[in-house]
Amino acid sequence: MKLTNKNAAHLAEIFNALSDPNRLRIISILMKGERNVGDIAAGIELSESAVSHQLRGLRQMRLVWARKSGRQVFYSLDDDHVARLFQMGLDHVEHG
């Protein structure tokens, strides 16, 4: 498999986005389904503003998706690829 410079750069950006422990903890919460910022913050014991900041970066990388309902914003994983990346990494860590 030949990896183009463009794809290599984008892949590196994704892995960089996943290199933060708080972002991984957010993804672990979203593995269970859609949540709002308050639920995520409570689940990982982080302030809502810190969670919002991390979600902004994850959203820009298209790792999470936001849905607005009234004044609430609900977040979920963008697609199954994100869940599989997370799960494969966790499996590797727990294996060794």
Side-chain angles (χ1 to χ4, degrees), residues 22 25-26 28-29 37-51:
N22 286 325
R25 293 171 64 214
I26 290 168
S28 74
I29 294 289
V37 174
D39 290 342
I40 296 168
I44 64 171
E45 299 176 344
L46 202 61
S47 73
E48 288 188 20
S49 64
V51 168

Side-chain angles (χ1 to χ4, degrees), residues 3-86:
L3 187 61
T4 66
N5 288 339
K6 180 180 175 182
N7 285 346
H10 189 69
L11 184 59
E13 287 175 358
I14 289 172
F15 282 124
N16 185 49
L18 296 174
S19 69
D20 182 275
N22 286 325
R23 289 187 202 128
L24 291 175
R25 293 171 64 214
I26 290 168
I27 290 173
S28 74
I29 294 289
L30 295 177
M31 292 278 289
K32 300 170 189 164
E34 184 179 72
R35 301 283 189 272
N36 66 27
V37 174
D39 290 342
I40 296 168
I44 64 171
E45 299 176 344
L46 202 61
S47 73
E48 288 188 20
S49 64
V51 168
S52 291
H53 175 76
Q54 297 297 345
L55 284 166
R56 189 171 20 265
L58 291 170
R59 200 173 60 243
Q60 288 173 343
M61 289 303 305
R62 294 186 358 233
L63 297 172
V64 300
W65 183 79
R67 175 183 69 82
K68 195 165 187 161
S69 178
R71 295 180 61 168
Q72 293 270 347
V73 179
F74 292 89
Y75 292 88
S76 59
L77 297 180
D78 189 68
D79 61 28
D80 188 49
H81 294 113
V82 178
R84 290 191 315 208
L85 267 172
F86 176 86

Side-chain angles (χ1 to χ4, degrees), residues 86-96:
F86 176 86
Q87 192 59 55
M88 288 175 69
L90 184 58
D91 290 346
H92 180 73
V93 167
E94 289 177 342
H95 174 74

